[in-house]
Amino acid sequence: MDAKPAPFVPPAPRPRQSPPSTLQMMRIVYNNPLELWGEPSYNEKWISISTGIGGPLVIANDPGLIRYVLVENARNYKMARVRQKILRPILRDGLLTAEGDVWKRSRKAMAPVFTPKNIDGFASAMLSTSLDFAERYRDADRADISRDMTMLTYDILAETLFSGEIAGEPGSFAHQVDRLFETMGRVDPMDLLGAPDWLPRFTRIRGKKSLAFFRKIVADTVRLRRTRMDRGEDVPADFLTLLLKAEGPDGLARSEIEDNIITFIGAGHETTARALGWTLYCLAEAPWEREKIEAEIDAAMTGNLPPQDWIAAMPYTRAAFEEAMRLYPPAPSINREAIAADRYEDLEIVKGAQVLVMPWTVHRHRKIWDDPEAFIPARFHPENRDALDRYQYLPFGAGPRICIGAAFAMQEAVIALAVLMARYRFDVLPETKPWPVQKLTTQPQGGLPMRVSRR
Ligand code: HEM
């Protein structure tokens, strides 16, 4: 008799059994905030903590409370101080870090950029970039999938952002992106302590020169394209052209276009790369799930469907990606700060409280999910989706500040997975022992070394 295999339970820190001391807490926050959370964070609807550093903290796990904070009373919750301190010097008035009227105007100006029609239009660039990328595995027998997925999603973004038309030395742009990420990834202990801005942050000093150089390349690239558009030349229909079409007094200022290009690079490739890597890893550990997806991809591929239709034709592939984002949300924490005192049911939220909506704990919450630690893509199969509460699954956030790139990322992920899995099988090696670490995104410490074989 065929026994149904037990679902795969991927690696994750066990909930802490006792609260850490302030010193321990700072060390954990610096090294891996995912290791901070104790049993109550995975069991309670909400928790109010007085931390001693950074003001009172509310951990919001209840879907009703999450809807209240991110949607119903969103105007009372601004972006959290620590997050802004890390990201604003780099992303400035890009959409992720803009606030108030600047955010409102630029989100509106950006709506025509992210229409379903434009996202569909990016599908062929996603496909051709994935096909080129897949060539590298033709003669490979192993690879670090984590590093490689970052390269793939970077290539896709560079193609859809500016069709490869980047000012300056070839290769220097990608190099500057790497350097920027190294310095962007960590919370500086000074920020946690609420130290004044004029005190240097040692974790970020290194990034300053890199940032200035990077900004110059972006500004030159934007200027070159504007000149071509003003001359009436044919220009590619990529993000850059779409953003420049939104330039103007009611739309985006030139500096905001530059900030948003840097924001898309910051928010739009590492996130998708992490989720792709975790998906391939979980599927390698659950070959019975992988078989279903390979069969689905093989069947869909025979139909010669245009790539923008793949996502609808491959619901199991999509579900595996969504389940990997449940277990390893690329953005593990969505942080807000209460502008005025507030109340939800019997929960008091004081003015200035930090409110954490953590996909990491919500997605692994004992009272919300059955078998929360197990990799079970069927949760997201079409027939089961209706059973999910909109606010129990938040890889892209919710409310007015929901990820503007969600549809782009989902389409990209399904196309990349289909191209790779149609050609290759990725298996774990004895040394494949990833440990999830939060450094802006949820990264696999130790990388994802995997065996690659042709199917
Ligand atoms: C799997 C991939 C991705 C994940 C998991 C993800 C996740 C998120 C989350 C959780 C937020 C909300 C943050 C908050 O409320 O504080 C967000 C916002 C944002 N994301 Fe994404 N993202 C992904 C891909 C992308 C891509 C591909 C782009 C651009 C091309 C992008 C651009 C943005 C921008 C601009 C915002 C700010 C929106 C606003 O505040 O109005 N993201 N993302």
Side-chain angles (χ1 to χ4, degrees):
M1 199 179 83
D2 267 359
K4 209 171 159 218
F8 169 58
V9 177
R14 293 172 69 81
R16 297 181 70 85
Q17 299 303 310
S18 58
S21 67
T22 304
L23 208 66
Q24 277 173 328
M25 180 162 132
M26 290 189 63
R27 215 188 52 231
I28 299 169
V29 169
Y30 186 67
N31 288 321
N32 185 11
L34 300 180
E35 293 179 16
L36 198 59
W37 313 115
E39 281 298 339
S41 303
Y42 297 91
N43 281 291
E44 305 292 329
K45 286 164 89 170
W46 50 74
I47 308 168
S48 247
I49 312 172
S50 166
T51 58
I53 52 172
L57 197 68
V58 175
I59 295 172
N61 282 327
D62 176 56
L65 172 59
I66 293 172
R67 188 179 59 217
Y68 181 73
V69 170
L70 295 183
V71 187
E72 286 162 15
N73 202 21
R75 65 177 54 201
N76 189 45
Y77 296 91
K78 60 178 182 179
M79 293 296 167
R81 222 176 314 152
V82 171
R83 171 192 190 268
Q84 292 296 82
K85 279 218 167 122
I86 299 171
L87 297 179
R88 241 194 102 81
I90 299 170
L91 309 178
R92 298 190 188 169
D93 276 332
L95 206 56
L96 196 66
T97 38
E99 298 221 55
D101 290 342
V102 174
W103 171 79
K104 213 183 241 170
R105 178 176 39 72
S106 45
R107 178 100 195 187
K108 200 167 152 220
M110 215 92 85
V113 176
F114 285 89
T115 58
K117 185 164 159 275
N118 286 340
I119 305 296
D120 276 4
F122 289 139
S124 54
M126 291 169 174
L127 174 59
S128 60
T129 312
S130 302
L131 287 169
D132 285 351
F133 177 87
E135 280 300 299
R136 76 180 52 207
Y137 293 144
R138 192 173 273 276
D139 301 310
D141 58 3
R142 54 177 293 154
D144 180 353
I145 295 303
S146 177
R147 189 205 54 198
D148 285 2
M149 290 305 108
T150 306
M151 289 193 216
L152 170 58
T153 56
Y154 174 76
D155 287 351
I156 291 177
L157 200 65
E159 205 46 45
T160 49
L161 259 180
F162 12 62
S163 311
E165 294 180 2
I166 303 171
E169 298 270 314
S172 70
F173 191 79
H175 177 66
Q176 294 303 329
V177 171
D178 271 357
R179 299 215 30 192
L180 209 60
F181 267 97
E182 272 171 37
T183 46
M184 241 170 79
R186 282 184 189 270
V187 175
D188 194 294
M190 296 278 207
D191 293 330
L192 282 177
L193 288 167
D197 286 342
W198 48 264
L199 267 180
R201 268 50 170 181
F202 293 107
T203 50
R204 286 202 289 280
I205 285 176
R206 240 163 18 111
K208 275 230 159 116
K209 247 172 87 184
S210 177
L211 180 60
F213 186 69
F214 183 69
R215 282 200 156 271
K216 182 172 170 344
I217 305 180
V218 171
D220 289 349
T221 303
V222 175
R223 196 164 345 100
L224 280 173
R225 177 66 63 84
R226 175 89 267 171
T227 311
R228 289 185 56 194
M229 286 169 74
D230 290 347
R231 284 199 205 116
E233 288 177 27
D234 266 350
V235 288
D238 52 17
F239 273 123
L240 178 52
T241 295
L242 292 167
L243 286 170
L244 278 165
K245 283 187 180 159
E247 191 175 19
D250 299 328
L252 298 168
R254 176 67 61 87
S255 62
E256 287 168 358
I257 292 178
E258 294 167 13
D259 294 345
N260 276 306
I261 286 177
I262 296 170
T263 296
F264 292 178
I265 293 167
H269 84 289
E270 173 90 7
T271 40
T272 316
R274 296 285 76 88
L276 282 171
W278 287 115
T279 307
L280 291 171
Y281 166 71
C282 288
L283 288 173
E285 295 275 21
W288 57 93
E289 299 287 356
R290 184 173 62 188
E291 269 170 31
K292 285 185 225 164
I293 291 166
E294 286 175 350
E296 174 180 87
I297 292 171
D298 293 349
M301 289 291 191
T302 58
N304 257 335
L305 285 174
Q308 61 272 26
D309 293 345
W310 289 12
I311 194 162
M314 300 180 192
Y316 288 179
T317 312
R318 178 192 168 128
F321 182 74
E322 291 182 300
E323 175 67 345
M325 286 202 294
R326 182 184 70 81
L327 287 160
Y328 298 112
S333 185
I334 297 170
N335 303 358
R336 295 289 191 271
E337 186 172 320
I339 296 170
D342 199 0
R343 161 182 277 278
Y344 177 80
E345 295 181 0
D346 62 356
L347 171 70
E348 295 275 4
I349 303 171
V350 300
K351 177 178 173 200
Q354 304 293 309
V355 182
L356 261 55
V357 176
M358 286 190 291
W360 178 267
T361 54
V362 178
H363 292 180
R364 290 170 174 268
H365 200 277
R366 314 265 193 271
K367 309 269 164 55
I368 298 179
W369 299 89
D370 291 333
D371 215 352
E373 271 119 39
F375 176 70
I376 307 176
R379 302 177 204 272
F380 295 98
H381 286 177
E383 66 279 15
N384 297 331
R385 301 185 79 92
D386 286 350
L388 300 175
D389 186 304
R390 165 66 189 88
Y391 298 94
Q392 79 181 87
Y393 182 63
L394 305 146
F396 296 108
R401 301 211 64 149
I402 192 170
C403 177
I404 202 166
F408 178 99
M410 291 302 299
Q411 174 173 285
E412 172 185 12
V414 168
I415 292 174
L417 286 171
V419 165
L420 292 172
M421 293 180 68
R423 288 160 182 77
Y424 305 102
R425 186 162 293 151
F426 300 89
D427 284 299
V428 288
L429 294 160
E431 61 270 35
T432 318
K433 303 234 175 308
W435 185 249
V437 169
Q438 176 178 357
K439 281 188 196 165
L440 281 189
T441 57
T442 308
Q443 307 188 358
Q445 195 171 55
L448 289 171
M450 292 180 90
R451 188 193 325 282
V452 183
S453 46
R454 292 182 75 159
R455 283 187 56 212

